[in-house]
Every structure is written in structure tokens, then in C-alpha cells.
Amino acid sequence: MDALLFTAEEAAELLKISRCKVYDLLRNHDLRSVKIGGSRRIPRSALEEYVARLLDTEAA
């Protein structure tokens, strides 16, 4: 089964960007996340939406 939620480190690896850049995207609300207890997790759908927005911006 594919993971539904990712850590910032895992998201960075999937997007091929730095962990710091993922935290910047989270801070600027460019990438959605959820909080579970004291942990911040990024849903797979949020990663897909972010990439789709990048593609839309590029096409415009």
C-alpha cells in the first residue's frame, strides 16, 4: 500500500528539492499539511496539487 502521508524529508525526496525548501513551501502555504499530535505530515494529494499548480503556471 502506498503511503498517504509523508514527512518533510520524504516529501523533499519525492519532489527532488531540499528539506528546507519544503519547510519554506509549508510556511508560505504553498504546500498543505496536517498536524498529528506534534508531527507535521504532508498528504500525497497536497504534493500532487502542488505539482499541478506548477504545471499550470508554466503553461500560462
Side-chain angles (χ1 to χ4, degrees), residues 25-39:
L25 293 171
L26 292 170
R27 192 173 22 263
N28 293 328
H29 304 286
D30 292 322
L31 186 60
R32 292 184 304 109
S33 65
V34 296
K35 194 165 185 182
I36 301 175
S39 300

Side-chain angles (χ1 to χ4, degrees), residues 4-56:
L4 295 176
L5 299 171
F6 299 96
T7 64
E9 291 79 10
E10 293 167 334
E13 187 176 321
L14 288 169
L15 294 172
K16 305 297 186 211
I17 60 176
S18 72
R19 182 178 57 90
C20 291
K21 181 62 176 174
V22 170
Y23 283 116
D24 285 343
L25 293 171
L26 292 170
R27 192 173 22 263
N28 293 328
H29 304 286
D30 292 322
L31 186 60
R32 292 184 304 109
S33 65
V34 296
K35 194 165 185 182
I36 301 175
S39 300
R40 179 90 26 207
R41 295 292 182 262
I42 302 161
R44 174 179 296 279
S45 61
L47 296 173
E48 292 168 349
E49 289 168 7
Y50 174 69
V51 171
R53 280 196 311 275
L54 290 175
L55 291 171
D56 288 344

